[in-house]
């Protein structure tokens, strides 16, 4: 089987740069603006982010999740508490996330402590989901080994019957997490791989902004 010549794959980045004046003195405003611009550009799932967690002894894992909330408290996403990421966050409540908007030649990296959001917030989001997604959240033993697809489909049929004619209730093992904004790095592609990297680190007095070498 022929494989692509990965070593020769490259693209020249040539967009307008990111300077300190445009970045501002705190990261939330710029992060919100970049996310809005990704939405306005019509990018597919602009709220997708790679989420990295780790076990207490340092074994990492990473997957794509969807950002469902952004404010001064941090980034919110939803999952099963008993999933692999849920178990890792229970044992080691820290995470890193990356949002990549390749057509805009931008990425944002976030690192921070992770906490569960309260039940009322999780209930409100769960109630806003399509019914099929609600049933799937109840039916799926997320990250557990199952014998085959038919097992999952049978569970979906059973849950659908239980809630026939009724609202689907959020399962107690499913809800939201929030990553605190402790470190936020903005990356803007530039020519000759001399990319702009501006990192905000939270301090006791607010935010420290540093430029990093590409």
């Amino acid at each position: 089987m022929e494989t692509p010549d990965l070593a020769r794959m490259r693209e020249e980045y040539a967009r307008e740069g990111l300077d300190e004046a445009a970045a501002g003195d705190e990261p939330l405003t710029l992060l919100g603006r970049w996310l809005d611009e990704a939405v306005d550009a019509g990018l597919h799932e602009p709220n997708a982010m790679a989420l990295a967690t780790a076990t207490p002894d340092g074994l990492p894992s990473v997957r794509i999740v969807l950002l469902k909330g952004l404010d001064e408290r941090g980034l919110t996403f939803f999952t099963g508490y008993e999933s692999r990421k849920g178990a890792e966050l229970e044992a080691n409540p820290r995470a890193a996330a990356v949002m990549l908007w390749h057509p805009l030649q931008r990425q944002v990296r976030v690192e921070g402590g992770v906490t569960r959001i309260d039940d009322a917030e999780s209930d409100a989001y769960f109630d806003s989901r399509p019914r099929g997604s609600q049933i799937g959240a109840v039916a799926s033993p997320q990250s557990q080994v199952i014998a085959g697809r038919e097992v999952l489909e049978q569970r979906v049929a059973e849950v659908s019957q239980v809630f026939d004619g009724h609202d689907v209730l959020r399962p107690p093992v499913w809800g939201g997490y929030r990553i605190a904004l402790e470190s936020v790095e903005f990356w803007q592609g530039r020519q000759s791989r001399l990319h702009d990297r501006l990192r905000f680190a939270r301090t006791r007095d607010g935010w420290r902004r540093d430029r990093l070498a590409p």
Side-chain angles (χ1 to χ4, degrees):
M1 182 179 96
E2 272 192 44
T3 59
D5 188 350
L6 300 178
R8 292 182 178 276
M9 286 186 177
R10 57 177 47 85
E11 179 179 335
E12 188 62 78
Y13 298 113
R15 294 186 68 89
E16 182 180 347
L18 175 65
D19 62 22
E20 284 74 2
D25 297 322
E26 53 79 28
L28 187 59
T29 300
L30 181 57
L31 179 52
R33 186 166 74 243
W34 275 22
L35 184 56
D36 286 343
E37 291 173 359
V39 172
D40 292 342
L43 304 189
H44 179 65
E45 291 197 326
N47 59 328
M49 61 183 187
L51 174 73
T53 57
T55 61
D57 54 352
L59 294 176
S61 61
V62 65
R63 75 290 290 162
I64 301 296
V65 300
L66 296 179
L67 174 66
K68 291 296 182 176
L70 170 64
D71 57 29
E72 67 281 352
R73 298 171 296 175
L75 309 179
T76 300
F77 65 94
F78 293 84
T79 190
Y81 298 144
E82 296 178 349
S83 65
R84 178 174 177 178
K85 55 185 162 307
E88 291 180 355
L89 289 172
E90 185 69 25
N92 180 18
R94 297 193 62 80
V98 179
M99 304 188 76
L100 172 65
W101 302 297
H102 199 271
L104 301 180
Q105 299 171 2
R106 289 173 174 172
Q107 64 176 315
V108 175
R109 300 171 60 192
V110 175
E111 299 172 12
V114 180
T115 55
R116 288 191 193 182
I117 67 175
D118 62 41
D119 287 344
E121 287 182 273
S122 288
D123 286 339
Y125 174 71
F126 188 83
D127 291 345
S128 75
R129 303 183 89 202
R131 186 175 180 86
S133 297
Q134 293 174 334
I135 290 173
V138 177
S140 175
Q142 191 174 357
S143 297
Q144 302 304 308
V145 175
I146 58 175
R149 175 78 187 185
E150 63 278 3
V151 174
L152 186 60
E153 292 174 349
Q154 178 62 34
R155 289 177 65 99
V156 167
E158 292 169 356
V159 172
S160 298
Q161 186 173 17
V162 168
F163 288 103
D164 185 31
H166 304 280
D167 291 338
V168 182
L169 301 178
R170 177 180 67 88
V173 294
W174 189 97
Y177 289 95
R178 181 173 290 117
I179 309 172
L181 301 177
E182 296 178 12
S183 174
V184 185
E185 180 189 324
F186 296 88
W187 181 100
Q188 176 69 70
R190 299 294 300 274
Q191 288 184 330
S192 302
R193 295 299 189 263
L194 296 176
H195 312 305
D196 286 325
R197 297 176 61 190
L198 295 180
R199 181 185 63 195
F200 291 84
R202 189 180 289 279
T203 69
R204 227 180 294 180
D205 303 320
W207 291 97
R208 185 185 73 247
R209 186 189 63 214
D210 297 304
R211 178 173 285 272
L212 305 180

mmCIF file of all heavy atoms in Angstrom, residues 180-202:
data_model
loop_
_atom_site.group_PDB
_atom_site.id
_atom_site.type_symbol
_atom_site.label_atom_id
_atom_site.label_comp_id
_atom_site.label_asym_id
_atom_site.label_seq_id
_atom_site.Cartn_x
_atom_site.Cartn_y
_atom_site.Cartn_z
ATOM 1 N N ALA A 180 -11.336 25.349 34.074
ATOM 2 C CA ALA A 180 -10.992 26.719 34.460
ATOM 3 C C ALA A 180 -9.949 27.293 33.507
ATOM 4 O O ALA A 180 -9.081 26.570 32.992
ATOM 5 C CB ALA A 180 -10.463 26.744 35.885
ATOM 6 N N LEU A 181 -10.046 28.592 33.273
ATOM 7 C CA LEU A 181 -9.075 29.265 32.402
ATOM 8 C C LEU A 181 -7.861 29.664 33.239
ATOM 9 O O LEU A 181 -7.778 30.763 33.773
ATOM 10 C CB LEU A 181 -9.714 30.507 31.757
ATOM 11 C CG LEU A 181 -10.958 30.272 30.914
ATOM 12 C CD1 LEU A 181 -11.522 31.591 30.412
ATOM 13 C CD2 LEU A 181 -10.655 29.348 29.746
ATOM 14 N N GLU A 182 -6.899 28.759 33.320
ATOM 15 C CA GLU A 182 -5.670 29.052 34.051
ATOM 16 C C GLU A 182 -4.548 29.450 33.104
ATOM 17 O O GLU A 182 -3.730 30.312 33.413
ATOM 18 C CB GLU A 182 -5.254 27.845 34.891
ATOM 19 C CG GLU A 182 -6.260 27.508 35.989
ATOM 20 C CD GLU A 182 -5.861 26.284 36.781
ATOM 21 O OE1 GLU A 182 -4.695 25.821 36.630
ATOM 22 O OE2 GLU A 182 -6.702 25.774 37.542
ATOM 23 N N SER A 183 -4.497 28.787 31.944
ATOM 24 C CA SER A 183 -3.532 29.129 30.903
ATOM 25 C C SER A 183 -4.253 29.056 29.562
ATOM 26 O O SER A 183 -4.910 28.052 29.270
ATOM 27 C CB SER A 183 -2.359 28.145 30.919
ATOM 28 O OG SER A 183 -1.476 28.376 29.829
ATOM 29 N N VAL A 184 -4.160 30.139 28.783
ATOM 30 C CA VAL A 184 -4.827 30.198 27.485
ATOM 31 C C VAL A 184 -3.811 30.708 26.467
ATOM 32 O O VAL A 184 -3.299 31.820 26.604
ATOM 33 C CB VAL A 184 -6.060 31.123 27.498
ATOM 34 C CG1 VAL A 184 -6.792 31.055 26.157
ATOM 35 C CG2 VAL A 184 -7.001 30.774 28.644
ATOM 36 N N GLU A 185 -3.512 29.886 25.449
ATOM 37 C CA GLU A 185 -2.551 30.291 24.431
ATOM 38 C C GLU A 185 -3.234 30.432 23.073
ATOM 39 O O GLU A 185 -3.944 29.529 22.631
ATOM 40 C CB GLU A 185 -1.424 29.266 24.310
ATOM 41 C CG GLU A 185 -0.388 29.665 23.251
ATOM 42 C CD GLU A 185 0.613 28.570 22.953
ATOM 43 O OE1 GLU A 185 1.003 27.844 23.887
ATOM 44 O OE2 GLU A 185 1.017 28.448 21.778
ATOM 45 N N PHE A 186 -2.996 31.562 22.430
ATOM 46 C CA PHE A 186 -3.523 31.837 21.087
ATOM 47 C C PHE A 186 -2.395 31.681 20.077
ATOM 48 O O PHE A 186 -1.313 32.250 20.247
ATOM 49 C CB PHE A 186 -4.093 33.256 21.025
ATOM 50 C CG PHE A 186 -5.277 33.460 21.929
ATOM 51 C CD1 PHE A 186 -5.096 33.849 23.254
ATOM 52 C CD2 PHE A 186 -6.574 33.259 21.464
ATOM 53 C CE1 PHE A 186 -6.182 34.021 24.090
ATOM 54 C CE2 PHE A 186 -7.670 33.441 22.294
ATOM 55 C CZ PHE A 186 -7.472 33.819 23.616
ATOM 56 N N TRP A 187 -2.685 30.911 19.031
ATOM 57 C CA TRP A 187 -1.703 30.617 17.986
ATOM 58 C C TRP A 187 -2.263 31.086 16.655
ATOM 59 O O TRP A 187 -3.358 30.702 16.269
ATOM 60 C CB TRP A 187 -1.458 29.114 17.969
ATOM 61 C CG TRP A 187 -0.450 28.566 16.990
ATOM 62 C CD1 TRP A 187 0.831 28.208 17.255
ATOM 63 C CD2 TRP A 187 -0.674 28.242 15.608
ATOM 64 N NE1 TRP A 187 1.430 27.691 16.119
ATOM 65 C CE2 TRP A 187 0.516 27.701 15.092
ATOM 66 C CE3 TRP A 187 -1.771 28.374 14.753
ATOM 67 C CZ2 TRP A 187 0.649 27.290 13.764
ATOM 68 C CZ3 TRP A 187 -1.642 27.965 13.429
ATOM 69 C CH2 TRP A 187 -0.436 27.429 12.959
ATOM 70 N N GLN A 188 -1.513 31.952 15.979
ATOM 71 C CA GLN A 188 -1.903 32.440 14.659
ATOM 72 C C GLN A 188 -0.808 32.092 13.672
ATOM 73 O O GLN A 188 0.369 32.441 13.875
ATOM 74 C CB GLN A 188 -2.117 33.952 14.674
ATOM 75 C CG GLN A 188 -2.442 34.569 13.324
ATOM 76 C CD GLN A 188 -3.817 34.168 12.817
ATOM 77 O OE1 GLN A 188 -4.823 34.593 13.368
ATOM 78 N NE2 GLN A 188 -3.873 33.369 11.764
ATOM 79 N N GLY A 189 -1.154 31.380 12.595
ATOM 80 C CA GLY A 189 -0.159 30.981 11.613
ATOM 81 C C GLY A 189 0.456 32.162 10.896
ATOM 82 O O GLY A 189 -0.243 33.108 10.528
ATOM 83 N N ARG A 190 1.772 32.098 10.674
ATOM 84 C CA ARG A 190 2.499 33.134 9.942
ATOM 85 C C ARG A 190 3.454 32.472 8.952
ATOM 86 O O ARG A 190 3.702 31.269 9.011
ATOM 87 C CB ARG A 190 3.294 34.028 10.915
ATOM 88 C CG ARG A 190 2.448 34.788 11.934
ATOM 89 C CD ARG A 190 1.529 35.835 11.312
ATOM 90 N NE ARG A 190 2.262 36.859 10.581
ATOM 91 C CZ ARG A 190 2.784 37.956 11.142
ATOM 92 N NH1 ARG A 190 2.676 38.162 12.439
ATOM 93 N NH2 ARG A 190 3.405 38.843 10.399
ATOM 94 N N GLN A 191 4.012 33.280 8.062
ATOM 95 C CA GLN A 191 4.916 32.774 7.042
ATOM 96 C C GLN A 191 6.190 32.189 7.658
ATOM 97 O O GLN A 191 6.641 32.621 8.718
ATOM 98 C CB GLN A 191 5.278 33.883 6.059
ATOM 99 C CG GLN A 191 4.132 34.269 5.128
ATOM 100 C CD GLN A 191 4.568 35.295 4.100
ATOM 101 O OE1 GLN A 191 5.453 36.096 4.348
ATOM 102 N NE2 GLN A 191 3.939 35.264 2.931
ATOM 103 N N SER A 192 6.752 31.214 6.939
ATOM 104 C CA SER A 192 8.030 30.588 7.306
ATOM 105 C C SER A 192 8.000 29.959 8.691
ATOM 106 O O SER A 192 9.036 29.860 9.363
ATOM 107 C CB SER A 192 9.172 31.619 7.221
ATOM 108 O OG SER A 192 9.255 32.159 5.914
ATOM 109 N N ARG A 193 6.819 29.547 9.117
ATOM 110 C CA ARG A 193 6.628 28.904 10.419
ATOM 111 C C ARG A 193 6.981 29.821 11.590
ATOM 112 O O ARG A 193 7.186 29.350 12.723
ATOM 113 C CB ARG A 193 7.440 27.602 10.519
ATOM 114 C CG ARG A 193 6.979 26.503 9.550
ATOM 115 C CD ARG A 193 5.532 26.120 9.835
ATOM 116 N NE ARG A 193 5.093 24.938 9.107
ATOM 117 C CZ ARG A 193 4.418 24.980 7.950
ATOM 118 N NH1 ARG A 193 4.160 26.153 7.370
ATOM 119 N NH2 ARG A 193 4.026 23.868 7.368
ATOM 120 N N LEU A 194 7.034 31.119 11.360
ATOM 121 C CA LEU A 194 7.288 32.075 12.443
ATOM 122 C C LEU A 194 5.942 32.521 13.011
ATOM 123 O O LEU A 194 5.561 33.694 12.947
ATOM 124 C CB LEU A 194 8.112 33.260 11.928
ATOM 125 C CG LEU A 194 9.511 32.889 11.442
ATOM 126 C CD1 LEU A 194 10.215 34.107 10.869
ATOM 127 C CD2 LEU A 194 10.326 32.284 12.587
ATOM 128 N N HIS A 195 5.225 31.569 13.562
ATOM 129 C CA HIS A 195 3.867 31.801 14.022
ATOM 130 C C HIS A 195 3.835 32.723 15.241
ATOM 131 O O HIS A 195 4.795 32.804 16.009
ATOM 132 C CB HIS A 195 3.202 30.471 14.389
ATOM 133 C CG HIS A 195 3.359 29.416 13.358
ATOM 134 N ND1 HIS A 195 2.983 29.591 12.041
ATOM 135 C CD2 HIS A 195 3.874 28.151 13.436
ATOM 136 C CE1 HIS A 195 3.238 28.481 11.360
ATOM 137 N NE2 HIS A 195 3.786 27.604 12.180
ATOM 138 N N ASP A 196 2.707 33.405 15.398
ATOM 139 C CA ASP A 196 2.480 34.208 16.602
ATOM 140 C C ASP A 196 1.874 33.322 17.675
ATOM 141 O O ASP A 196 0.874 32.633 17.440
ATOM 142 C CB ASP A 196 1.520 35.364 16.304
ATOM 143 C CG ASP A 196 2.176 36.468 15.498
ATOM 144 O OD1 ASP A 196 3.386 36.714 15.722
ATOM 145 O OD2 ASP A 196 1.497 37.073 14.658
ATOM 146 N N ARG A 197 2.470 33.358 18.870
ATOM 147 C CA ARG A 197 1.956 32.620 20.024
ATOM 148 C C ARG A 197 1.915 33.563 21.216
ATOM 149 O O ARG A 197 2.960 34.023 21.687
ATOM 150 C CB ARG A 197 2.843 31.415 20.347
ATOM 151 C CG ARG A 197 2.905 30.358 19.264
ATOM 152 C CD ARG A 197 3.889 29.257 19.644
ATOM 153 N NE ARG A 197 3.492 28.587 20.886
ATOM 154 C CZ ARG A 197 4.281 27.723 21.531
ATOM 155 N NH1 ARG A 197 5.497 27.450 21.067
ATOM 156 N NH2 ARG A 197 3.856 27.144 22.645
ATOM 157 N N LEU A 198 0.718 33.853 21.677
ATOM 158 C CA LEU A 198 0.539 34.691 22.855
ATOM 159 C C LEU A 198 -0.171 33.875 23.925
ATOM 160 O O LEU A 198 -1.259 33.343 23.692
ATOM 161 C CB LEU A 198 -0.276 35.944 22.526
ATOM 162 C CG LEU A 198 0.371 36.931 21.550
ATOM 163 C CD1 LEU A 198 -0.545 38.124 21.327
ATOM 164 C CD2 LEU A 198 1.734 37.396 22.063
ATOM 165 N N ARG A 199 0.457 33.782 25.093
ATOM 166 C CA ARG A 199 -0.091 32.975 26.182
ATOM 167 C C ARG A 199 -0.478 33.865 27.357
ATOM 168 O O ARG A 199 0.291 34.721 27.787
ATOM 169 C CB ARG A 199 0.932 31.946 26.656
ATOM 170 C CG ARG A 199 0.417 31.034 27.781
ATOM 171 C CD ARG A 199 1.519 30.131 28.291
ATOM 172 N NE ARG A 199 2.606 30.923 28.881
ATOM 173 C CZ ARG A 199 3.818 30.424 29.144
ATOM 174 N NH1 ARG A 199 4.095 29.176 28.832
ATOM 175 N NH2 ARG A 199 4.749 31.200 29.684
ATOM 176 N N PHE A 200 -1.690 33.643 27.847
ATOM 177 C CA PHE A 200 -2.168 34.304 29.059
ATOM 178 C C PHE A 200 -2.113 33.310 30.209
ATOM 179 O O PHE A 200 -2.642 32.199 30.108
ATOM 180 C CB PHE A 200 -3.608 34.781 28.885
ATOM 181 C CG PHE A 200 -3.773 35.917 27.911
ATOM 182 C CD1 PHE A 200 -3.884 35.666 26.549
ATOM 183 C CD2 PHE A 200 -3.834 37.226 28.353
ATOM 184 C CE1 PHE A 200 -4.040 36.704 25.651
ATOM 185 C CE2 PHE A 200 -3.996 38.273 27.456
ATOM 186 C CZ PHE A 200 -4.103 38.009 26.106
ATOM 187 N N ALA A 201 -1.491 33.697 31.309
ATOM 188 C CA ALA A 201 -1.426 32.862 32.504
ATOM 189 C C ALA A 201 -2.088 33.615 33.652
ATOM 190 O O ALA A 201 -1.782 34.789 33.897
ATOM 191 C CB ALA A 201 0.018 32.523 32.850
ATOM 192 N N ARG A 202 -3.000 32.941 34.343
ATOM 193 C CA ARG A 202 -3.695 33.589 35.454
ATOM 194 C C ARG A 202 -2.748 33.757 36.639
ATOM 195 O O ARG A 202 -2.006 32.837 36.995
ATOM 196 C CB ARG A 202 -4.912 32.769 35.876
ATOM 197 C CG ARG A 202 -5.800 33.506 36.873
ATOM 198 C CD ARG A 202 -6.992 32.688 37.272
ATOM 199 N NE ARG A 202 -7.972 32.563 36.212
ATOM 200 C CZ ARG A 202 -8.877 33.497 35.923
ATOM 201 N NH1 ARG A 202 -8.896 34.638 36.602
ATOM 202 N NH2 ARG A 202 -9.757 33.299 34.967
#
